[in-house]
Amino acid sequence: MQKSDHPIHPVDRVPKAGRLTILSIQHVLAFYAGAVVVPLVVAGGLKLDAHTTMHLINADLFTCGIATLIQSVGLWKIGVRLPIIQGVTTTALSPMIAIGLAVTGPEGGVEGLPMIYGAIIVSGIFTFLAAPFFARVIRFFPPVVIGTVLATMGITLLGVSAGDIINRVDEADPPSAIQSGDIALAALTLAVIIIVQRFFKGFLGTISVLLGLVIGTAVAFACGRASFAEVPHAAAFGFTTPFYFGWPQFSLTACLSMIIVMIITMVETTGDVFAAGEIVNKRITRDHIAAALRADGLSTALGGVLNSFPYTCFAQNIGLVRLTRVKSRWVVAFTGVLMIVLGLLPKAGAIVASIPSPVLGAASLALFANVALVGFQTLGRVDLSDARNAAILTTSLGLAMLVSFKPDIAGVFPSWAQIFFASGVTVGSITAIVLNLLFFHVGPRRGENIALSPTGRRVSLEEVNAMDKDTFVSTFASLYNGASWPLERAWERRPFSDVGNLKEILQDAALSASTSDQDALLANYPDITDMLVATEAEAREMSQDVGSFALGDIEGDQREQLLALSADYRKKFDMPFVVCLERISSVDEIIEAGLHRLENAPALERIVAISEVGEVVSDRFDIMLADANPVRTAWGRKFEQLN
């Protein structure tokens, strides 16, 4: 049997030129408003003139494009290679303004920018170097934390949409200051998006947000509520030169402030990468997280050089990927190219900037709500009947809403602490992380739950050691597909000193058995091909192993290859083709492993197959731990097994 060319995953497919361009423009329009808000706010806080403000916007767009290419296309171990757009993090707003004003005083000015950029460069280098270490501690960010962060992110960002819809009318103004025309424009835009989603399929269905923006802007222009008068005044071409505002300056306090910002941003990026992985049906591993964070770090350091700001994954564009179901990372990559062009052509940026605020607000409303939905879906996998998980979710969400509804509350804290209360997302994220550590990782582990009894009760290691043989076998029966003799042999080796010792003995029970016992055991396991070509319900009846359902759809001639491989394997070895899926990320890897194993001698292959059974036992034991004590291995179970 020969292996054919790899089928292309939807993430790696390149749409036709016309479709690619339209879809990329939609991403640009969804991204643009959020992209320019940071330079606009920084310019306002530092009292910068119009020329400097436009330069910051151009630099931001230009560097956003480069950062997006780094993240989506990838370079070495940098970039997650998913449809993720990079944008400036709003978490950095308060500390950047504070750093600038510390240099210039209340009068502001460009003199504070070199100190800001020095801190940005240092924080970017820190993020790049810390990326692999952060990925190793990802177990401290189980689904309850990630889901809370994503839900909080989506909900709190709805306030930004609301501000756009009412055209930034100040809270102190009377309700009559909100113009009915703005509300009507927003309602029209949202209605167009919903109608396109409901009644159109195929390509038109994927550009619902773009159609909403175009139609909403056209109606606003016809009604005199949109104007392109600023376009002629914008320069035809502009390029941001490195260190345009002077060589960077460095301050320990400023650098520490920006490093804290980037630590918070690393958590947000982790959540965004998980969300993107779920949407495009790609398993997210520690290597993916490290690659994404390296891209954040490199882009941030580059931002400090090119007069821009710290970078992170942009949540609204992840929402757009979910909304449109267009998974190609090359759409996002071409979006990066368009952003570079916008950064070089201020006139083009001025045209996009002419989209009325209510129209942008309605479009972002749909996108942010989809980000919250991904968070809710993640939380749907969390055992919220566990009071600890419930406390993490409710407290984090409550505090996030408190800060979102009353942002002035940050003013009661010392200036050094205000960064932690800069936004609802920041407060919610930090609270979820701290409470998760408090409830699940702090304090003695004595009495930690190990498994579920046949009646569903959580049992500790002490209780496992005290079990009679029949109870022990029934408790751990799922580990060996119902075979009892390995469990009986494991029971005879009590007492177990700790969880690791129990796990080793359970694995060794089969590995040290006789050849006839091992052959009988292997016959109890499903052939991997039978499981992969079955329906989801049938597959779940066969196996509940981690990774079983995160391999993507079987495409092209993969089914025929699998069936042929299974037949050849059974003909040569007279046993099912058993594979542990915990470290397998695609059907192609299974086929490659099978072709290699077909070359083994029967005696050697029995050892390999039994080793796979041992890996399955280990995998199932970890799932058992997760069910009995949800946080222990929640990251591995919840995020390696994507639906």
Side-chain angles (χ1 to χ4, degrees), residues 5 100 507:
D5 293 338
Q507 286 180 294

Side-chain angles (χ1 to χ4, degrees), residues 379-635:
L379 288 170
R381 302 191 183 115
V382 177
D383 180 14
L384 293 178
S385 64
D386 188 320
R388 297 170 295 181
N389 287 328
I392 292 172
L393 172 60
T394 54
T395 306
S396 303
L397 193 59
L399 289 177
M401 293 302 100
L402 172 65
V403 174
S404 297
F405 295 150
K406 296 294 181 183
D408 292 342
I409 199 170
V412 306
F413 295 95
S415 57
W416 62 267
Q418 291 182 10
I419 182 177
F420 298 107
F421 301 91
S423 71
V425 175
T426 303
V427 172
S429 300
I430 293 176
T431 303
I433 294 168
V434 172
L435 289 183
N436 175 64
L437 292 173
L438 177 64
F439 284 130
F440 292 114
H441 295 278
V442 175
R445 295 294 185 91
R446 189 182 311 168
E448 182 179 36
N449 296 320
I450 301 301
L452 297 179
S453 71
T455 61
R457 185 177 62 85
R458 292 169 180 165
V459 295
S460 65
L461 181 64
E462 290 78 5
E463 292 174 286
V464 169
N465 279 327
M467 286 179 177
D468 58 44
K469 183 185 294 184
D470 291 339
T471 303
F472 182 87
V473 169
S474 62
T475 298
F476 295 98
S478 63
L479 297 182
Y480 279 104
N481 279 20
S484 61
W485 63 264
L487 300 174
E488 291 171 354
R489 294 182 183 182
W491 178 82
E492 293 171 355
R493 296 175 62 179
R494 293 171 304 131
F496 311 109
S497 59
D498 53 36
V499 175
N501 179 239
L502 170 59
K503 184 176 181 178
E504 290 174 3
I505 290 174
L506 287 168
Q507 286 180 294
D508 187 60
L511 296 174
S512 60
S514 66
T515 299
S516 59
D517 284 341
Q518 289 179 346
D519 288 342
L521 180 63
L522 286 168
N524 284 340
Y525 280 80
D527 191 298
I528 186 65
T529 298
D530 295 336
M531 189 167 66
L532 289 177
V533 300
T535 64
E536 183 173 321
E538 292 170 341
R540 289 186 183 279
E541 288 295 322
M542 298 179 194
S543 174
Q544 291 293 321
D545 302 332
V546 170
S548 298
F549 315 106
L551 301 178
D553 299 327
I554 298 179
E555 301 180 354
D557 60 352
Q558 286 180 327
R559 176 183 291 269
E560 288 70 24
Q561 293 180 54
L562 284 169
L563 292 173
L565 173 61
S566 179
D568 290 347
Y569 187 91
R570 281 188 178 275
K571 182 178 179 180
K572 180 172 183 178
F573 301 118
D574 192 27
M575 59 184 181
F577 179 35
V578 179
V579 177
C580 177
L581 297 176
E582 198 271 337
R583 286 183 296 275
I584 297 291
S585 61
S586 70
V587 175
D588 286 321
E589 289 187 26
I590 294 176
I591 295 172
E592 289 175 358
L595 291 173
H596 179 73
R597 287 169 61 176
L598 277 174
E599 299 174 0
N600 290 338
L604 174 60
E605 180 56 26
R606 179 183 290 107
I607 296 173
V608 174
I610 269 300
S611 298
E612 291 291 321
V613 170
E615 292 292 337
V616 170
V617 170
S618 175
D619 184 26
R620 292 176 177 176
F621 185 80
D622 288 341
I623 292 176
M624 193 171 287
L625 280 175
D627 288 336
N629 188 29
V631 76
R632 175 97 183 221
T633 53
W635 182 88

Side-chain angles (χ1 to χ4, degrees), residues 179-192:
Q179 299 186 21
S180 58
D182 293 336
I183 303 299
L185 270 179
L188 171 67
T189 304
L190 189 59
V192 170

Side-chain angles (χ1 to χ4, degrees), residues 235-372:
F237 181 83
F239 179 74
T240 179
T241 57
F243 307 121
Y244 178 82
F245 298 101
W247 290 100
Q249 300 173 9
F250 302 96
S251 160
L252 178 60
T253 303
C255 292
L256 288 176
S257 297
M258 294 308 300
I259 286 174
I260 292 173
V261 167
M262 291 309 296
I263 290 174
I264 297 170
T265 298
M266 290 165 80
V267 177
E268 295 179 2
T269 293
T270 300
D272 288 336
V273 172
F274 278 131
E278 295 224 10
I279 291 168
V280 303
N281 196 28
K282 271 260 189 178
R283 174 183 295 172
I284 300 303
T285 66
R286 291 172 175 84
D287 290 340
H288 288 102
I289 299 300
L293 296 178
R294 286 192 190 97
D296 276 3
L298 178 59
S299 300
T300 297
L302 188 63
V305 173
L306 294 178
N307 319 297
S308 189
F309 307 102
Y311 284 90
T312 185
C313 303
F314 240 45
Q316 54 262 56
N317 289 86
I318 293 175
L320 183 59
V321 171
R322 188 191 186 283
L323 200 63
T324 63
R325 297 185 296 278
V326 176
K327 302 175 181 179
S328 173
R329 64 189 174 105
W330 297 107
V331 171
V332 166
F334 191 64
T335 302
V337 174
L338 294 179
M339 287 189 289
I340 292 174
V341 173
L342 284 175
L344 297 174
L345 302 174
K347 283 188 181 295
I351 293 174
V352 179
S354 299
I355 296 175
S357 177
V359 174
L360 282 173
S364 65
L365 184 78
L367 301 179
F368 294 151
N370 270 272
V371 174

